[in-house]
Every structure is written in structure tokens, then in C-alpha cells.
Amino acid sequence: MQGALSLLPAHWSREKRSAVAIAIAVALLVVFLWGMAIPLSWMPEPIGPAAEQFAEGARVTVQLTILAGLAGVALGVLAALAKLSKLPPLRWIANFYIWVIRGTPLLVQILFVFFAVPALIPGLQMSDFASACVALAFNVGAYNAEAIRAGILAVHKGQVEAARSLGLTPFMTFRDVVFPQAFRISLPPLVNNIVALLKDSSLAYSIGVVELTNIGNRLQASTFMPVHTLTTVAVIYLLLTTIMTQISGAIERQLDVERHP
Amino acid sequence: MSGHDMTGNQHQVRSDLPPLITAEKVNKHFGKFHVIRDVSTQFRQGEVAVIVGASGSGKSTFLRMLNRLETHDSGRIVIDGIELNEDMKHIDAVRREVGMVFQSFNLFPHLTVMNNITLAPRRLRGVTRAQAEEAARVLLAKVGLSDHAHKYPHQLSGGQQQRVAIARSLAMQPKVMLFDEPTSALDPEMIKEVLDVMKDLARSGMTMIVVTHEMGFAREVADRVIFFEKGQILAEAPPEEFFGSQKNDRIRAFLGQIKDGG
């Protein structure tokens, strides 16, 4: 599926092709999420009658992925900056965060946010969906931090020197010069993390979030037809990750000025 | 100042004004290596100074100290009345007045030529995008690249990239331009186009300090040639004296090597 871009007219500019590819892939995602119930409803028992549930579950899965993914990129940038900071306390906090998140299972993190956080901080009882979002965001944020840190370090030192010698402040240098280049370098691993996040969001079912895996599991338990229900779930995940990869590939092309003239 | 005749070339060197840049007994170490030893010199407004010397002689390090890309361990560097020290406000203020051109161009690869040039003025000089772009077009015409404003750096040749880098520095309207081996990374056929732009700049009265191996450039436009050796200024003289009747054996050997090398 990687080569879908090459189906677009070759005489279009790179920007135009990738912009059109992004638009097509996003439209495809929307059509898929809101339209899948129709073909699913044509299928025999036990899938047909539950078509609307599968579609709703897939939408919740994508919602979880997008919200946690965006928050996770922001957290990743902050943690990467803290890790590269000159101030030791910031480095300690970032290292501790990354160490804890990468060293513990995601399932434990999700359960912790939903059950343990309200016990520790009375009044901070979030819904199951919000808890899952927070846990997934912090989880993917720790992995993103490493990808973004590597991206920042890969930006040539001369870029910072040129920006600073023009008089740009450290903040402007980061925002206008370093970050856009670092983000481009970090994009492939970030995309991997987000595709992994889409799949990992299935663990949210453990705290009762009604997402795709939860739907499939409930249905297989009530119908005793695990092959049909779980195959349907797996195929929907597969289509979602494929569309995601297409969108991110197109974004990569859009941003990548240097390698694809 | 060593009392040389500073009116050697065709520029207006303003000996009547206080020096634009003063370096006093500047020292720097890289670990145990003493790269800059007690260097003192001054640069005047309108002067074109060319710094030469073998690689590792400290000439680039000294140049990079003048906008504090390198720190100095002791001594004083004063630029247009502002002393370079730990104070970030001083550093940022100085850097806005001192343009720098690098050996490796260091254009921003994710920005078009136009945005490379307008970024700093828009952020720091409080000009609108339209004003900045108008000024940039004038500069692009000056460096002979009017047709390339919309391109990205990777679409340009090395010589073109370096000319954009010069225009980018000039967009901040600096009082002095530093050049750190601006032609060393270029193919021979592109060196001339960059040197021509630099010569025009020198004739327009810009204060320039140039680290280079291009002796033709030094001969033609420099007011003063400074020879660095082991972190010290071994000699400084107007080009006709420096190249003509050089008595120092070490410098004669260096000049001979440069000629043989190309």
C-alpha cells in the first residue's frame, strides 16, 4: 500500500500530490468510520445485527487514538526538551517519566489512572474514556520523547549557529529552525508510535471503554462465535492501521522538502 | 593599532571614529590547547580585513569569538560599544549588528530562499512580511538571484546558496560582516561568483572581516591582511606590503604553499 501516491498524476508537484493524498486518505477514513455499518449489516449472524456496534466501537478507537496521539506528541516534545535541558532537575524529571513509562506495562498504567489516581487524589475521578486517553497519552509520550530527542540532535549544529548569529533568540531558533527540521526527522518513528497506539488502545477495554475490542469480545462471549467476531475486529483494525499509514506517508512527503524534490 | 597606513585600498576607512571592534588580550583554551594567545587588534568602520593562516592557527576561532559563537577565557571584546560577556542581552544585541557567513552556508533547508532571508528581520526588526520581502528582493537582485526567491536551498548550487547566505545576513542590516572561509566548500567555478558579490559589498563601504585562503581577494580589496600563527597575530600589514616585500620567513613559506596549492 506504500506506493498509492504514485497513482496520482506524475506532472503534479510533490506538494500537490501529497496534499491530495492526505485529503483522499482522510476522506477514506471518514467514509470508512461512518460507512462501514452498511456492508457489515449485509453480513450473516452474528456480525450483521451488530454492524452499528462495530462501527461505533471503531469510532471510539479512532477517537482515543487521535486524542491520545496529539497529547502524546505534545508530551513527547516537552519531555524531549526537558531531557536536553541544561537544568538538571528538568532532566531528572524527564528521565524518571520515561523510565517509569517504558518499564511498566501499559495495562497497569491504564488501570492505575482509572483506579489508583482517584484513590490518591480524591476528586480526580475521570470517566473511563478520559482515563484511557490520559494513560495512552502519557504512554505514547514517553516513546515519542525519544524519537523527538533523536530528531533534535540530528539537526546540524550549523543551523543553530546560523540562527543565533542572525540574532534570533533561543526560543525563536527552536520554533522556527530546529523544531521544523527535527519534526521531519522524527516523523517516521512518531508514525510507528501512533500506529502502535491505535492497536494499544484496545487495552482500554479493561476499564470498560466501549471501543472496538470490547465490542468484539462482548459479542463473541454472548454468541459463542469467536472466529467470526474476532476476525471482523482484526480486519477493521487492519484497515484502520493501513489508512493511518497512508495518511502519515503523505504527510511525510508533504513536509519532506529535501529528499523528494 | 600597529600604525600602518590604513587607507591602502579604495574604501573609506573611518580612522576618525572610535574603532567598531576592539579585542584586548583575548585568550582561549580548548582543554589544554591554547588556541588564542593574547590577541589584541581593532577593526574600524569601513575597513576590509582579511585573516590568513594555516589551518589550526586559530583564525576561525578568533572570528567566531567576534559574535560569541565561541567564548573567550580572558581579555575583552567590545563591539560598537557593547562588551561581549555572559550577558545574553549583550550577545543578542551584538549578533543583530554582526552578520556571519559560514563555510557550509547553513541555509535553513525547510524554508524557501525568500523565507530564509526574511525570517530574522520579521522576527526581530518589527517589519511586516511585505516590507521584509521587498527588502529581500532588493538584496536578491544585488547578489544576482532574483529568479530564485521561491526555491528551496537544495535546488541551488553551492555558489548560489552562499550568495543567498550573504543576502540573509545583509537583511539584518549589520554594521559588520564576518566571513568564515566562505569559498572553501565551493567548486572552483563557483568561487568567483561569491567573491564578486563580496567585492561589491566591500566597495559599498561594508566593514568586513574575512577568513580566507583567496589571496587574490585579499590583494584586491583588503585594507589590511592579518596573519595568524599558533593563536597569535604574527603580522598585520596592508596587502601591497604583506604580499610585496614580506621579510618574515614563516609567512613567505605560507604564501609559497598557497600559490603552489592553487
Side-chain angles (χ1 to χ4, degrees):
Chain A
M1 283 295 284
Q2 247 339 314
L5 253 186
S6 57
L7 298 176
L8 293 169
H11 65 269
W12 287 5
S13 70
R14 179 187 52 79
E15 282 92 351
K16 190 171 178 188
R17 266 187 295 164
S18 50
V20 169
I22 294 170
I24 291 175
V26 169
L28 211 64
L29 182 65
V30 171
V31 168
F32 179 65
L33 286 176
W34 273 272
M36 75 167 93
I38 299 166
L40 280 176
S41 67
W42 300 333
M43 292 175 73
E45 293 266 337
I47 309 301
E52 200 43 62
Q53 283 172 276
F54 277 111
E56 180 57 30
R59 287 197 286 270
V60 172
T61 288
V62 170
Q63 244 178 353
L64 265 179
T65 307
I66 291 174
L67 290 175
L70 289 176
V73 169
L75 276 168
V77 172
L78 290 178
L81 282 178
K83 236 190 130 150
L84 294 167
S85 165
K86 280 180 199 147
L87 304 173
L90 285 180
R91 285 205 305 271
W92 297 334
I93 293 170
N95 283 328
F96 180 77
Y97 162 58
I98 293 167
W99 175 65
V100 168
I101 294 290
R102 300 217 298 184
T104 56
L106 175 57
L107 182 54
V108 174
Q109 293 162 17
I110 291 172
L111 294 172
F112 191 91
V113 171
F114 189 59
F115 294 114
V117 167
L120 285 169
I121 312 165
L124 200 71
Q125 176 67 66
M126 291 178 286
S127 71
D128 49 18
F129 181 82
S131 298
C133 267
V134 168
L136 288 169
F138 273 93
N139 183 270
V140 75
Y143 291 92
N144 287 349
E146 289 298 324
I148 292 167
R149 188 179 74 102
I152 291 172
L153 291 176
V155 175
H156 195 273
K157 185 169 135 271
Q159 292 289 310
V160 175
E161 289 189 346
R164 303 287 288 123
S165 71
L166 285 166
L168 294 173
T169 63
F171 173 72
M172 292 171 187
T173 300
F174 181 75
R175 182 192 57 191
D176 295 326
V177 176
V178 176
F179 185 71
Q181 297 183 56
F183 191 72
R184 242 159 251 195
I185 299 168
S186 309
L187 204 57
L190 284 180
V191 165
N192 273 340
N193 290 350
I194 296 206
V195 170
L197 175 68
L198 180 97
K199 295 180 285 172
D200 290 345
S201 69
S202 64
L203 288 171
Y205 105 103
S206 63
I207 55 171
V209 179
V210 188
E211 42 68 72
L212 186 54
T213 304
N214 201 336
I215 298 287
N217 196 40
R218 282 184 191 181
L219 203 61
Q220 71 89 15
S222 61
T223 60
F224 304 106
M225 296 178 85
V227 176
H228 301 78
T229 50
L230 293 178
T231 305
T232 307
V233 166
V235 168
I236 295 174
Y237 273 115
L238 200 54
L239 291 171
L240 285 175
T241 50
T242 307
I243 297 173
M244 284 272 199
T245 319
Q246 285 299 313
I247 294 176
S248 58
I251 292 175
E252 226 169 284
R253 299 251 170 172
Q254 179 77 11
L255 292 179
D256 196 351
V257 179
E258 266 198 287
R259 270 168 289 180
H260 302 279
Chain B
M1 192 101 324
S2 40
H4 296 301
D5 171 23
M6 295 302 298
T7 57
N9 256 308
Q10 53 274 69
H11 331 108
Q12 276 291 312
V13 178
R14 299 295 302 268
S15 319
D16 51 326
L17 297 176
L20 195 55
I21 298 179
T22 303
E24 264 174 37
K25 295 201 170 271
V26 176
N27 281 282
K28 180 175 183 67
H29 296 78
F30 283 134
K32 277 185 183 167
F33 182 44
H34 198 168
V35 261
I36 299 292
R37 304 164 182 253
D38 264 341
V39 169
S40 299
T41 189
Q42 294 179 328
F43 300 94
R44 295 193 172 270
Q45 194 179 320
E47 181 181 0
V48 176
V50 168
I51 304 180
V52 300
S55 57
S57 60
K59 56 190 192 304
S60 279
T61 307
F62 178 69
L63 188 79
R64 288 161 58 83
M65 283 174 166
L66 299 181
N67 70 351
R68 210 171 168 87
L69 287 179
E70 303 282 354
T71 58
H72 50 278
D73 303 339
S74 66
R76 264 160 57 86
I77 296 175
V78 181
I79 300 193
D80 200 21
I82 305 171
E83 174 159 10
L84 277 178
N85 49 28
E86 299 298 327
D87 192 333
M88 282 303 292
K89 281 206 182 97
H90 285 192
I91 297 171
D92 282 341
V94 162
R95 282 175 176 160
R96 277 167 217 171
E97 309 305 329
V98 178
M100 177 111 186
V101 174
F102 300 87
Q103 181 177 351
S104 51
F105 328 137
N106 295 347
L107 291 180
F108 306 132
H110 60 299
L111 299 179
T112 60
V113 165
M114 180 55 82
N115 286 333
N116 262 279
I117 297 172
T118 55
L119 175 65
R122 272 166 44 215
R123 293 280 183 266
L124 300 167
R125 296 290 194 218
V127 296
T128 64
R129 181 182 280 271
Q131 289 169 323
E133 292 192 349
E134 204 184 306
R137 267 187 275 275
V138 173
L139 289 169
L140 279 173
K142 207 185 254 183
V143 299
L145 292 170
S146 292
D147 298 337
H148 301 270
H150 61 286
K151 290 189 179 167
Y152 286 92
H154 73 91
Q155 295 169 295
L156 303 178
S157 73
Q160 290 171 327
Q161 289 191 48
Q162 192 62 298
R163 287 187 279 152
V164 173
I166 293 172
R168 177 177 69 176
S169 279
L170 290 174
M172 284 298 285
Q173 298 176 314
K175 292 188 170 136
V176 51
M177 287 281 285
L178 310 178
F179 294 83
D180 188 5
E181 305 206 24
T183 57
S184 298
L186 295 175
D187 292 334
E189 70 269 23
M190 293 169 189
I191 290 176
K192 188 177 171 297
E193 64 190 55
V194 171
L195 290 180
D196 285 346
V197 166
M198 291 170 62
K199 285 174 194 169
D200 285 346
L201 197 56
R203 285 185 199 112
S204 74
M206 175 61 75
T207 310
M208 295 165 65
I209 307 174
V210 185
V211 169
T212 187
H213 295 293
E214 294 295 329
M215 296 304 150
F217 175 83
R219 219 185 284 265
E220 198 176 325
V221 296
D223 298 295
R224 176 168 50 135
V225 181
I226 300 171
F227 184 81
F228 257 75
E229 166 95 339
K230 294 187 179 136
Q232 287 175 309
I233 294 181
L234 196 65
E236 45 185 326
E240 52 276 21
E241 185 183 327
F242 185 87
F243 294 108
S245 51
Q246 188 53 253
K247 292 178 192 73
N248 185 303
D249 288 343
R250 178 67 198 95
I251 299 175
R252 277 222 310 275
F254 172 80
L255 291 174
Q257 259 174 0
I258 292 277
K259 260 178 220 141
D260 296 343

Short mmCIF file of all heavy atoms in Angstrom, two decimals, chain B residues 215-259:
data_model
loop_
_atom_site.label_atom_id
_atom_site.label_comp_id
_atom_site.label_asym_id
_atom_site.label_seq_id
_atom_site.Cartn_x
_atom_site.Cartn_y
_atom_site.Cartn_z
N MET B 215 43.97 34.58 -1.83
CA MET B 215 44.93 35.69 -1.74
C MET B 215 44.63 36.78 -2.76
O MET B 215 44.90 37.95 -2.53
CB MET B 215 46.36 35.17 -1.94
CG MET B 215 46.78 34.21 -0.85
SD MET B 215 46.62 34.92 0.79
CE MET B 215 46.31 33.48 1.77
N GLY B 216 44.03 36.38 -3.89
CA GLY B 216 43.66 37.38 -4.89
C GLY B 216 42.66 38.37 -4.33
O GLY B 216 42.76 39.58 -4.55
N PHE B 217 41.72 37.84 -3.58
CA PHE B 217 40.72 38.69 -2.95
C PHE B 217 41.39 39.64 -1.97
O PHE B 217 41.11 40.85 -1.94
CB PHE B 217 39.67 37.81 -2.23
CG PHE B 217 38.66 38.58 -1.46
CD1 PHE B 217 37.53 39.11 -2.08
CD2 PHE B 217 38.80 38.77 -0.09
CE1 PHE B 217 36.59 39.83 -1.36
CE2 PHE B 217 37.87 39.49 0.63
CZ PHE B 217 36.76 40.02 0.00
N ALA B 218 42.30 39.09 -1.15
CA ALA B 218 43.00 39.92 -0.16
C ALA B 218 43.76 41.05 -0.84
O ALA B 218 43.69 42.21 -0.45
CB ALA B 218 43.95 39.05 0.65
N ARG B 219 44.48 40.68 -1.89
CA ARG B 219 45.27 41.66 -2.63
C ARG B 219 44.40 42.77 -3.20
O ARG B 219 44.74 43.94 -3.16
CB ARG B 219 45.97 40.93 -3.78
CG ARG B 219 47.38 41.37 -4.05
CD ARG B 219 47.87 40.65 -5.28
NE ARG B 219 48.22 39.26 -4.99
CZ ARG B 219 49.47 38.88 -4.72
NH1 ARG B 219 50.44 39.76 -4.73
NH2 ARG B 219 49.74 37.64 -4.48
N GLU B 220 43.25 42.36 -3.72
CA GLU B 220 42.41 43.30 -4.46
C GLU B 220 41.60 44.22 -3.56
O GLU B 220 41.49 45.41 -3.84
CB GLU B 220 41.45 42.51 -5.38
CG GLU B 220 40.86 43.36 -6.48
CD GLU B 220 40.01 42.54 -7.43
OE1 GLU B 220 40.35 41.36 -7.68
OE2 GLU B 220 38.99 43.06 -7.88
N VAL B 221 41.00 43.68 -2.48
CA VAL B 221 40.07 44.52 -1.73
C VAL B 221 40.46 44.78 -0.27
O VAL B 221 39.85 45.64 0.36
CB VAL B 221 38.62 43.97 -1.75
CG1 VAL B 221 38.09 43.98 -3.15
CG2 VAL B 221 38.54 42.61 -1.13
N ALA B 222 41.43 44.05 0.26
CA ALA B 222 41.70 44.22 1.69
C ALA B 222 42.38 45.55 1.97
O ALA B 222 43.16 46.07 1.17
CB ALA B 222 42.56 43.08 2.20
N ASP B 223 42.08 46.13 3.13
CA ASP B 223 42.85 47.26 3.64
C ASP B 223 44.00 46.74 4.48
O ASP B 223 45.00 47.40 4.64
CB ASP B 223 41.96 48.15 4.51
CG ASP B 223 40.81 48.72 3.72
OD1 ASP B 223 41.08 49.51 2.81
OD2 ASP B 223 39.66 48.34 3.99
N ARG B 224 43.79 45.54 5.05
CA ARG B 224 44.78 45.01 5.97
C ARG B 224 44.73 43.50 5.89
O ARG B 224 43.65 42.91 5.82
CB ARG B 224 44.48 45.48 7.39
CG ARG B 224 45.38 44.92 8.44
CD ARG B 224 45.23 45.64 9.78
NE ARG B 224 43.86 45.77 10.20
CZ ARG B 224 43.43 45.53 11.45
NH1 ARG B 224 44.28 45.15 12.38
NH2 ARG B 224 42.17 45.68 11.77
N VAL B 225 45.90 42.88 5.88
CA VAL B 225 45.98 41.43 5.95
C VAL B 225 46.58 41.06 7.30
O VAL B 225 47.59 41.63 7.72
CB VAL B 225 46.87 40.85 4.81
CG1 VAL B 225 46.90 39.33 4.89
CG2 VAL B 225 46.35 41.30 3.45
N ILE B 226 45.89 40.13 7.99
CA ILE B 226 46.34 39.70 9.31
C ILE B 226 46.77 38.25 9.20
O ILE B 226 46.01 37.42 8.68
CB ILE B 226 45.19 39.84 10.33
CG1 ILE B 226 44.73 41.30 10.40
CG2 ILE B 226 45.61 39.32 11.70
CD1 ILE B 226 43.47 41.50 11.21
N PHE B 227 47.97 37.97 9.68
CA PHE B 227 48.47 36.59 9.59
C PHE B 227 48.45 35.95 10.97
O PHE B 227 49.08 36.43 11.90
CB PHE B 227 49.89 36.57 9.03
CG PHE B 227 50.43 35.19 8.81
CD1 PHE B 227 50.10 34.47 7.66
CD2 PHE B 227 51.26 34.58 9.76
CE1 PHE B 227 50.58 33.18 7.46
CE2 PHE B 227 51.75 33.29 9.56
CZ PHE B 227 51.40 32.59 8.41
N PHE B 228 47.68 34.86 11.08
CA PHE B 228 47.58 34.12 12.34
C PHE B 228 48.55 32.95 12.33
O PHE B 228 48.67 32.25 11.32
CB PHE B 228 46.16 33.58 12.55
CG PHE B 228 45.35 34.38 13.53
CD1 PHE B 228 44.83 35.61 13.17
CD2 PHE B 228 45.12 33.90 14.81
CE1 PHE B 228 44.09 36.35 14.06
CE2 PHE B 228 44.37 34.63 15.71
CZ PHE B 228 43.86 35.85 15.35
N GLU B 229 49.21 32.75 13.47
CA GLU B 229 50.10 31.60 13.60
C GLU B 229 50.08 31.16 15.06
O GLU B 229 50.33 31.97 15.96
CB GLU B 229 51.52 32.01 13.17
CG GLU B 229 52.60 31.04 13.56
CD GLU B 229 52.94 30.05 12.44
OE1 GLU B 229 52.11 29.85 11.54
OE2 GLU B 229 54.04 29.49 12.51
N LYS B 230 49.74 29.91 15.31
CA LYS B 230 49.70 29.37 16.67
C LYS B 230 48.92 30.28 17.62
O LYS B 230 49.37 30.56 18.74
CB LYS B 230 51.12 29.14 17.19
CG LYS B 230 51.83 28.06 16.40
CD LYS B 230 53.16 27.71 17.01
CE LYS B 230 53.84 26.61 16.21
NZ LYS B 230 55.26 26.86 15.98
N GLY B 231 47.77 30.74 17.18
CA GLY B 231 46.90 31.51 18.07
C GLY B 231 47.32 32.94 18.30
O GLY B 231 46.77 33.62 19.17
N GLN B 232 48.31 33.41 17.54
CA GLN B 232 48.76 34.79 17.72
C GLN B 232 48.75 35.52 16.39
O GLN B 232 48.83 34.89 15.33
CB GLN B 232 50.19 34.83 18.27
CG GLN B 232 50.27 34.42 19.72
CD GLN B 232 51.70 34.36 20.19
OE1 GLN B 232 52.53 33.71 19.55
NE2 GLN B 232 51.99 35.02 21.29
N ILE B 233 48.66 36.85 16.47
CA ILE B 233 48.82 37.63 15.25
C ILE B 233 50.32 37.82 15.03
O ILE B 233 50.99 38.50 15.80
CB ILE B 233 48.11 38.99 15.36
CG1 ILE B 233 46.60 38.78 15.44
CG2 ILE B 233 48.46 39.87 14.16
CD1 ILE B 233 45.78 40.05 15.53
N LEU B 234 50.82 37.16 13.99
CA LEU B 234 52.26 37.22 13.74
C LEU B 234 52.62 38.48 12.97
O LEU B 234 53.70 39.03 13.14
CB LEU B 234 52.68 35.98 12.95
CG LEU B 234 54.16 35.65 12.91
CD1 LEU B 234 54.65 35.28 14.32
CD2 LEU B 234 54.41 34.48 11.96
N ALA B 235 51.68 38.91 12.12
CA ALA B 235 51.95 40.12 11.34
C ALA B 235 50.64 40.69 10.85
O ALA B 235 49.69 39.95 10.63
CB ALA B 235 52.85 39.79 10.15
N GLU B 236 50.58 42.01 10.71
CA GLU B 236 49.45 42.61 10.01
C GLU B 236 49.96 43.80 9.20
O GLU B 236 50.78 44.57 9.68
CB GLU B 236 48.32 43.01 10.96
CG GLU B 236 48.73 43.73 12.21
CD GLU B 236 47.55 43.96 13.15
OE1 GLU B 236 46.43 44.17 12.65
OE2 GLU B 236 47.74 43.95 14.36
N ALA B 237 49.51 43.87 7.96
CA ALA B 237 50.03 44.91 7.07
C ALA B 237 49.07 45.10 5.91
O ALA B 237 48.28 44.21 5.60
CB ALA B 237 51.39 44.48 6.53
N PRO B 238 49.11 46.25 5.24
CA PRO B 238 48.33 46.43 4.02
C PRO B 238 48.80 45.39 2.99
O PRO B 238 49.96 44.97 3.03
CB PRO B 238 48.68 47.84 3.55
CG PRO B 238 49.25 48.52 4.75
CD PRO B 238 49.89 47.46 5.57
N PRO B 239 47.92 44.99 2.08
CA PRO B 239 48.24 43.88 1.18
C PRO B 239 49.51 44.10 0.35
O PRO B 239 50.30 43.16 0.19
CB PRO B 239 47.01 43.76 0.30
CG PRO B 239 46.16 44.95 0.56
CD PRO B 239 46.54 45.48 1.89
N GLU B 240 49.73 45.31 -0.15
CA GLU B 240 50.91 45.51 -1.02
C GLU B 240 52.20 45.24 -0.24
O GLU B 240 53.14 44.63 -0.74
CB GLU B 240 50.92 46.91 -1.66
CG GLU B 240 50.76 48.10 -0.75
CD GLU B 240 49.31 48.42 -0.43
OE1 GLU B 240 48.43 47.53 -0.56
OE2 GLU B 240 49.03 49.55 -0.02
N GLU B 241 52.17 45.62 1.05
CA GLU B 241 53.34 45.37 1.89
C GLU B 241 53.41 43.89 2.27
O GLU B 241 54.47 43.27 2.22
CB GLU B 241 53.22 46.25 3.14
CG GLU B 241 54.41 46.20 4.06
CD GLU B 241 54.16 47.05 5.31
OE1 GLU B 241 53.46 48.09 5.21
OE2 GLU B 241 54.62 46.65 6.39
N PHE B 242 52.24 43.32 2.63
CA PHE B 242 52.19 41.93 3.08
C PHE B 242 52.64 40.97 1.98
O PHE B 242 53.43 40.07 2.20
CB PHE B 242 50.76 41.58 3.53
CG PHE B 242 50.63 40.20 4.12
CD1 PHE B 242 50.86 39.99 5.47
CD2 PHE B 242 50.28 39.11 3.33
CE1 PHE B 242 50.74 38.72 6.03
CE2 PHE B 242 50.16 37.84 3.88
CZ PHE B 242 50.39 37.65 5.24
N PHE B 243 52.13 41.20 0.77
CA PHE B 243 52.46 40.28 -0.33
C PHE B 243 53.74 40.70 -1.05
O PHE B 243 54.43 39.87 -1.63
CB PHE B 243 51.32 40.22 -1.36
CG PHE B 243 50.06 39.61 -0.80
CD1 PHE B 243 48.95 40.39 -0.54
CD2 PHE B 243 50.01 38.26 -0.53
CE1 PHE B 243 47.80 39.83 -0.03
CE2 PHE B 243 48.85 37.68 -0.02
CZ PHE B 243 47.75 38.48 0.24
N GLY B 244 54.05 42.02 -1.00
CA GLY B 244 55.15 42.52 -1.81
C GLY B 244 56.51 42.24 -1.21
O GLY B 244 57.30 41.47 -1.75
N SER B 245 56.77 42.82 -0.05
CA SER B 245 58.12 42.74 0.50
C SER B 245 58.09 42.01 1.84
O SER B 245 58.49 42.54 2.85
CB SER B 245 58.66 44.16 0.69
OG SER B 245 57.71 44.93 1.41
N GLN B 246 57.59 40.80 1.80
CA GLN B 246 57.45 40.05 3.04
C GLN B 246 58.81 39.56 3.53
O GLN B 246 59.50 38.81 2.85
CB GLN B 246 56.51 38.85 2.81
CG GLN B 246 56.14 38.09 4.06
CD GLN B 246 55.58 38.98 5.16
OE1 GLN B 246 56.27 39.23 6.15
NE2 GLN B 246 54.37 39.50 4.98
N LYS B 247 59.19 40.02 4.73
CA LYS B 247 60.50 39.65 5.24
C LYS B 247 60.45 38.41 6.11
O LYS B 247 61.44 37.72 6.30
CB LYS B 247 61.09 40.81 6.04
CG LYS B 247 61.43 42.00 5.15
CD LYS B 247 61.97 43.17 5.96
CE LYS B 247 62.03 44.41 5.13
NZ LYS B 247 60.68 45.00 4.88
N ASN B 248 59.23 38.14 6.66
CA ASN B 248 59.11 37.01 7.59
C ASN B 248 59.17 35.68 6.83
O ASN B 248 58.38 35.43 5.92
CB ASN B 248 57.79 37.15 8.34
CG ASN B 248 57.63 36.09 9.42
OD1 ASN B 248 57.70 34.89 9.13
ND2 ASN B 248 57.45 36.54 10.65
N ASP B 249 60.11 34.81 7.21
CA ASP B 249 60.30 33.54 6.50
C ASP B 249 59.07 32.66 6.58
O ASP B 249 58.67 32.00 5.62
CB ASP B 249 61.50 32.77 7.10
CG ASP B 249 62.81 33.42 6.73
OD1 ASP B 249 62.78 34.24 5.77
OD2 ASP B 249 63.82 33.15 7.40
N ARG B 250 58.49 32.59 7.80
CA ARG B 250 57.33 31.74 8.02
C ARG B 250 56.19 32.15 7.07
O ARG B 250 55.53 31.31 6.45
CB ARG B 250 56.90 31.87 9.49
CG ARG B 250 55.68 31.09 9.89
CD ARG B 250 55.93 29.58 9.83
NE ARG B 250 54.66 28.88 9.80
CZ ARG B 250 54.04 28.48 8.70
NH1 ARG B 250 54.59 28.68 7.52
NH2 ARG B 250 52.89 27.87 8.75
N ILE B 251 55.96 33.46 6.95
CA ILE B 251 54.86 33.93 6.10
C ILE B 251 55.20 33.70 4.63
O ILE B 251 54.35 33.30 3.85
CB ILE B 251 54.57 35.43 6.37
CG1 ILE B 251 54.14 35.61 7.83
CG2 ILE B 251 53.49 35.95 5.43
CD1 ILE B 251 53.94 37.04 8.25
N ARG B 252 56.48 33.90 4.29
CA ARG B 252 56.87 33.66 2.89
C ARG B 252 56.63 32.21 2.51
O ARG B 252 56.12 31.89 1.45
CB ARG B 252 58.35 34.03 2.68
CG ARG B 252 58.56 35.51 2.44
CD ARG B 252 59.59 35.77 1.33
NE ARG B 252 60.82 35.00 1.52
CZ ARG B 252 61.83 35.41 2.27
NH1 ARG B 252 61.76 36.57 2.90
NH2 ARG B 252 62.91 34.67 2.38
N ALA B 253 56.96 31.29 3.46
CA ALA B 253 56.74 29.87 3.21
C ALA B 253 55.26 29.59 3.03
O ALA B 253 54.84 28.86 2.12
CB ALA B 253 57.30 29.04 4.37
N PHE B 254 54.43 30.21 3.90
CA PHE B 254 52.98 30.01 3.82
C PHE B 254 52.44 30.49 2.48
O PHE B 254 51.69 29.80 1.80
CB PHE B 254 52.30 30.77 4.97
CG PHE B 254 50.80 30.79 4.87
CD1 PHE B 254 50.05 29.69 5.27
CD2 PHE B 254 50.13 31.91 4.37
CE1 PHE B 254 48.66 29.72 5.17
CE2 PHE B 254 48.77 31.93 4.27
CZ PHE B 254 48.02 30.83 4.66
N LEU B 255 52.88 31.68 2.07
CA LEU B 255 52.39 32.23 0.81
C LEU B 255 52.81 31.37 -0.37
O LEU B 255 52.06 31.16 -1.32
CB LEU B 255 52.88 33.67 0.63
CG LEU B 255 52.26 34.68 1.59
CD1 LEU B 255 52.92 36.05 1.43
CD2 LEU B 255 50.76 34.78 1.40
N GLY B 256 54.04 30.84 -0.28
CA GLY B 256 54.53 29.96 -1.33
C GLY B 256 53.67 28.72 -1.46
O GLY B 256 53.29 28.31 -2.56
N GLN B 257 53.29 28.14 -0.31
CA GLN B 257 52.45 26.95 -0.31
C GLN B 257 51.09 27.22 -0.94
O GLN B 257 50.58 26.42 -1.72
CB GLN B 257 52.23 26.49 1.13
CG GLN B 257 53.11 25.33 1.53
CD GLN B 257 52.96 25.02 3.00
OE1 GLN B 257 52.20 25.67 3.72
NE2 GLN B 257 53.71 24.05 3.45
N ILE B 258 50.50 28.36 -0.56
CA ILE B 258 49.17 28.70 -1.08
C ILE B 258 49.23 28.80 -2.60
O ILE B 258 48.38 28.29 -3.32
CB ILE B 258 48.69 30.05 -0.49
CG1 ILE B 258 48.43 29.89 0.99
CG2 ILE B 258 47.48 30.58 -1.22
CD1 ILE B 258 47.09 29.32 1.34
N LYS B 259 50.31 29.44 -3.10
CA LYS B 259 50.44 29.61 -4.55
C LYS B 259 50.57 28.27 -5.24
O LYS B 259 49.88 27.98 -6.21
CB LYS B 259 51.67 30.49 -4.87
CG LYS B 259 51.29 31.93 -5.17
CD LYS B 259 52.54 32.74 -5.43
CE LYS B 259 52.43 34.11 -4.79
NZ LYS B 259 53.70 34.55 -4.19
#
